[in-house]
Amino acid sequence: GAGVSQSPSNKVTEKGKDVELRCDPISGHTALYWYRQRLGQGLEFLIYFQGNSAPDKSGLPSDRFSAERTGESVSTLTIQRTQQEDSAVYLCASSPHPGLASSEQFFGPGTRLTVL
Amino acid sequence: EDQVTQSPEALRLQEGESSSLNCSYTVSGLRGLFWYRQDPGKGPEFLFTLYSAGEEKEKERLKATLTKKESFLHITAPKPEDSATYLCAVLGNFNKFYFGSGTKLNVKP
């Protein structure tokens, strides 16, 4: 079966514009995660969905960031009024296991966002 | 402050030269420590999860160990295809993941 897919693979936008990033997890995976990876840095945990619910949104960097998930499937990460510091690779992962401490997360290839 | 530190930042080995990568953490309430491999331009690939001090896991040439303060990823007789960035992550209290910045491993034939 297909792995985690993300779209677009690359996005270049102008400062102040809104962007929407999409993640299609592996079918049947109940848990979905969003991360941000700045150049040369480790992954930064943003948010976690169990089903369609995100129990804790405090990892989102600012109120310009929002995320939703529908149908226990596709998820979108929206960044409003983008800033240059938002430039990064945004990674999505899914897991068949319901708990955060469960082991294996399957990552997508990421969306590279560049804000000019 | 909760954080994960990986060392060294970069490591160059000759094929067959065994070594270890370190991941030290100061995260309260360890609920799991994860090792991933990341190739350029790709998402991380899961390797291991460790849950308690003293636990060890092995996969091919890799072996991960865990103490109360750090984890080691031992690479035995590495091959060029083991070249990648190895990431360590810790799940602590309050449902937060903390990632280190990775060790970039280069294995030369």
Side-chain angles (χ1 to χ4, degrees):
Chain A
V4 176
S5 61
Q6 293 186 245
S7 60
S9 55
N10 277 285
K11 176 71 176 178
V12 180
T13 190
E14 293 180 349
K15 178 180 173 181
K17 300 283 189 183
D18 298 351
V19 295
E20 191 172 279
L21 312 180
R22 177 186 171 109
C23 172
D24 285 275
I26 294 172
S27 178
H29 280 197
T30 58
L32 186 146
Y33 311 79
W34 282 100
Y35 297 87
R36 178 169 71 178
Q37 188 172 30
R38 289 190 166 124
L39 187 63
Q41 297 186 21
L43 274 69
E44 178 185 357
F45 176 62
L46 299 180
I47 194 168
Y48 155 72
F49 285 91
Q50 180 52 49
N52 294 332
S53 174
D56 181 359
K57 299 182 180 181
S58 64
L60 294 174
S62 75
D63 58 9
R64 296 185 294 103
F65 286 70
S66 62
E68 66 174 17
R69 189 180 185 196
T70 57
E72 297 199 359
S73 180
V74 64
S75 176
T76 54
L77 178 68
T78 301
I79 310 173
Q80 296 178 310
R81 305 181 302 283
T82 52
Q83 304 293 313
Q84 289 181 333
E85 67 257 27
D86 299 333
S87 296
V89 175
Y90 290 82
L91 289 159
C92 172
S94 70
S95 171
H97 305 291
L100 273 176
S102 61
S103 52
E104 188 165 4
Q105 294 182 30
F106 296 81
F107 280 82
T111 292
R112 182 175 298 277
L113 175 66
T114 304
V115 182
L116 301 177
Chain B
E1 180 186 358
D2 293 330
Q3 65 179 17
V4 175
T5 304
Q6 291 188 247
S7 61
E9 291 185 8
L11 181 62
R12 296 178 69 177
L13 299 173
Q14 287 296 128
E15 184 173 2
E17 180 186 2
S18 301
S19 188
S20 296
L21 314 182
N22 178 264
C23 170
S24 62
Y25 59 92
T26 54
V27 175
S28 54
L30 176 76
R31 295 172 56 198
L33 185 142
F34 306 82
W35 281 100
Y36 288 87
R37 169 195 171 123
Q38 187 173 26
D39 293 298
K42 296 186 176 181
E45 176 187 346
F46 171 80
L47 293 174
F48 303 108
T49 307
L50 301 166
Y51 292 104
S52 57
E55 189 174 359
E56 298 182 352
K57 291 207 176 157
E58 287 188 66
K59 179 180 180 180
E60 296 180 354
R61 295 178 292 282
L62 300 176
K63 178 180 177 180
T65 61
L66 179 64
T67 71
K68 288 186 177 180
K69 294 293 183 186
E70 59 191 347
S71 176
F72 290 94
L73 184 66
H74 307 278
I75 304 177
T76 302
K79 298 182 178 181
E81 54 262 41
D82 295 323
S83 297
T85 296
Y86 290 85
L87 301 171
C88 170
V90 171
L91 176 63
N93 284 334
F94 312 114
N95 292 334
K96 292 281 171 60
F97 280 100
Y98 300 89
F99 273 81
S101 54
T103 293
K104 187 174 183 179
L105 174 65
N106 185 10
V107 181
K108 293 198 169 294

